[in-house]
Amino acid sequence: TCNVSGDVEKLFRPFFLNNDNLKRYSKDYLIQDYVNYTKNNFENLDSLILEVIRFYLVALSANNEETLKAFALFQDETVSIGNKYWSMCVLQKDFDLLEDDEYVMEAFNLIENVSEILLKNFFSFMVYLNKIRTNKSLDFNLVKKMKFGNLYNELSQTKMLEQLFAVLKSDIPINQWRNIACHKDYQYTRGKVYCDYGSNKENQIILESKEELLDIAKNIYRISQVINYSFKFFTYDNIYEIYEYLDDSNYQVDGRDATWHLIFITELYANGYETIDIKEDDESVQVVLKDMYETEDIEKRAIQSSIA
């Protein structure tokens, strides 16, 4: 007999201050995260997640109310991110089946999608938290309008996140890789990948193989997963405090149920389903869902193993 919830608690205990919440959610909502987490072969994943959580905790210590409000405000954003992320997964191709030119193109598509779909949104949230941490003026809408490079620059200059941004196996920062991918400033010739970058494309890096490029893409994906896990763990750890600032006007239920709905919706989108509506009475819960996949090919319902 396997005590899965006990294994979940043991694995995720370093990320939680509220052991009661860890025990409560390890029996159901954290199980899929446990499965995905144990499949990862990324180095130093634990320490990177802890670094980001410490960043959250410093913001919480600087301004408890504004930090909790920020996490409540960002819950709807995470649903949107999840929808776009699973659309990306459906379109993702298996690198093992690709010819060299298409392999390089798909690796850059991965860099672009992870940067634009996952990182840009989470970077906006983290820059907003950084402004809370440093007691600067707050306007989340203005932060959301910031360019990717400006978001990255502000976070990379934060000493609290040095380890997170040091994992790329390249001296070129994420914002430049994002620009190379988005603007198609690359060429694959005779087994090597030539990339131009900089404000006037004055710099060039040469990758010796397409596998080296995919390694860069994996590391960018790795950073997005670190932030995703840290956000989710911190939310579970402080779920009832965050709920106090959550706009639950769409749900005619009490506080505990609305908190449960938040967790439930989060887990549904993690599995590729968008929640259209939830109706609950004393006897039943009715949920209207939209399958975010447009294909019946089960193999395309997750990012392939060469990335994770």
Side-chain angles (χ1 to χ4, degrees), residues 113-137:
N113 288 332
V114 170
S115 297
E116 291 296 297
I117 294 172
L118 300 176
L119 288 180
K120 186 175 183 180
N121 289 285
F122 276 122
F123 280 3
S124 297
F125 172 71
M126 293 172 72
V127 165
Y128 185 65
L129 285 188
N130 195 46
K131 294 187 181 300
I132 294 175
R133 182 184 71 88
T134 55
N135 196 30
K136 294 181 179 178
S137 59

Side-chain angles (χ1 to χ4, degrees), residues 9 24 35 64 83 94 110-111 113 118 128 139 142 150 166 173 180 217 227 262 275 277 287 293:
E9 286 183 55
R24 182 180 297 117
V35 173
N64 183 282
N83 293 346
D94 189 339
L110 176 60
I111 291 173
N113 288 332
L118 300 176
Y128 185 65
D139 188 329
L142 287 179
N150 294 334
I180 293 169
I227 298 174
L262 167 63
T275 303
D277 189 25
V287 184
Y293 294 97

Side-chain angles (χ1 to χ4, degrees), residues 265-279:
I265 291 170
T266 301
E267 293 308 311
L268 285 171
Y269 92 65
N271 286 279
Y273 294 96
E274 179 182 356
T275 303
I276 305 300
D277 189 25
I278 295 181
K279 296 180 181 179

Side-chain angles (χ1 to χ4, degrees), residues 28 71 110 156 158 190 198 201 212 217 244 272 291 293 307:
D28 35 48
F71 271 87
L110 176 60
S156 64
T158 302
R190 296 178 182 177
K201 309 296 184 292
E212 189 177 345
E244 295 299 322
D291 191 339
Y293 294 97
I307 298 173

Side-chain angles (χ1 to χ4, degrees), residues 152 165-177 197 205 207 212 216:
Y152 169 76
F165 295 120
V167 299
L168 283 179
K169 297 182 179 180
S170 161
D171 293 330
I172 302 178
I174 296 173
N175 60 316
Q176 294 296 342
W177 282 114
Y197 66 98
I205 183 174
L207 303 178
E212 189 177 345
I216 296 292

Side-chain angles (χ1 to χ4, degrees), residues 153-205:
N153 287 336
E154 180 164 336
L155 292 175
S156 64
Q157 292 169 13
T158 302
K159 291 184 177 180
M160 293 194 66
L161 299 171
E162 283 182 331
Q163 187 182 3
L164 177 68
F165 295 120
V167 299
L168 283 179
K169 297 182 179 180
S170 161
D171 293 330
I172 302 178
I174 296 173
N175 60 316
Q176 294 296 342
W177 282 114
R178 175 262 177 200
N179 290 342
I180 293 169
C182 289
H183 302 306
K184 308 295 187 286
D185 293 324
Y186 60 84
Q187 228 178 5
Y188 180 70
T189 305
R190 296 178 182 177
K192 296 183 179 181
V193 185
Y194 297 81
C195 308
D196 297 320
Y197 66 98
S199 56
N200 296 310
K201 309 296 184 292
E202 68 274 18
N203 300 312
Q204 186 179 75
I205 183 174

